[in-house]
Amino acid sequence: MNMIELAETKSRAWAIMLYVLGTVLLMAELVGMTMKQSDFVDGLWLGVAMVCALTLLPWRRWLHPDSELNRLLDDEVVREHRRMSCTAGFWASLIAALLTAPFAHDAMLASYDVSRVVATAGLFAAMVSFATLELRAAR
């Protein structure tokens, strides 16, 4: 297997992992909204959200900038996909914030729940967008 095939394989695996992590984040949020006052579920959601946020960063380029494989995995197309997915995450967060604001105002939702919904919407949209763009590019 040459370097290009290895990079394509790793890229597909990374995209699939983003779908799985996004699903886990969404499930943790749904469970957290149904189970009030559960420290375990809150901690689980926070941990998964932090891991999800970290997966969107260009760690490969930062940690091993001279690696040929990492240069292939973080080329200009991947950088553009990352930018586009972060834009999608921003708009999803903005829409979630605007839609949940009236519920927070009338005390139907706690501010903590609103912030979790906004963060989950942004992270989920960014991860799914990035994974979809990467898989489309791999075809």
Side-chain angles (χ1 to χ4, degrees), residues 46-68:
L46 186 60
V48 172
M50 290 175 124
V51 168
C52 290
L54 291 174
T55 61
L56 295 171
L57 295 174
W59 288 105
R60 291 183 184 107
R61 182 171 28 130
W62 295 344
L63 295 177
H64 301 287
D66 297 329
S67 169
E68 183 181 350

Side-chain angles (χ1 to χ4, degrees), residues 45-95:
W45 175 84
L46 186 60
V48 172
M50 290 175 124
V51 168
C52 290
L54 291 174
T55 61
L56 295 171
L57 295 174
W59 288 105
R60 291 183 184 107
R61 182 171 28 130
W62 295 344
L63 295 177
H64 301 287
D66 297 329
S67 169
E68 183 181 350
L69 178 63
N70 289 343
R71 279 195 299 261
L72 288 172
L73 288 171
D74 196 32
D75 61 358
E76 61 275 353
V77 174
V78 174
R79 289 183 196 147
E80 184 61 26
H81 290 169
R82 189 175 286 117
R83 277 192 279 282
M84 291 169 65
S85 68
C86 287
T87 302
F90 165 78
W91 285 106
S93 294
L94 183 63
I95 290 168

Side-chain angles (χ1 to χ4, degrees), residues 13-138:
W14 187 260
I16 291 168
M17 187 226 19
L18 288 176
Y19 280 131
V20 170
L21 270 176
T23 303
V24 170
L25 177 69
L26 194 59
M27 297 311 289
E29 174 61 21
L30 293 175
V31 169
M33 292 294 284
T34 58
M35 295 178 58
K36 297 291 183 185
Q37 302 298 324
S38 173
D39 290 337
F40 174 74
V41 174
D42 288 345
L44 175 71
W45 175 84
L46 186 60
V48 172
M50 290 175 124
V51 168
C52 290
L54 291 174
T55 61
L56 295 171
L57 295 174
W59 288 105
R60 291 183 184 107
R61 182 171 28 130
W62 295 344
L63 295 177
H64 301 287
D66 297 329
S67 169
E68 183 181 350
L69 178 63
N70 289 343
R71 279 195 299 261
L72 288 172
L73 288 171
D74 196 32
D75 61 358
E76 61 275 353
V77 174
V78 174
R79 289 183 196 147
E80 184 61 26
H81 290 169
R82 189 175 286 117
R83 277 192 279 282
M84 291 169 65
S85 68
C86 287
T87 302
F90 165 78
W91 285 106
S93 294
L94 183 63
I95 290 168
L98 293 173
L99 291 177
T100 57
F103 297 105
H105 184 319
D106 295 334
M108 293 172 66
L109 282 175
S111 60
Y112 180 68
D113 292 334
V114 171
S115 65
R116 282 176 31 163
V117 168
V118 170
T120 300
L123 284 170
F124 185 78
M127 292 174 68
V128 167
S129 173
F130 187 64
T132 302
L133 290 168
E134 283 294 295
L135 287 176
R136 250 189 235 156

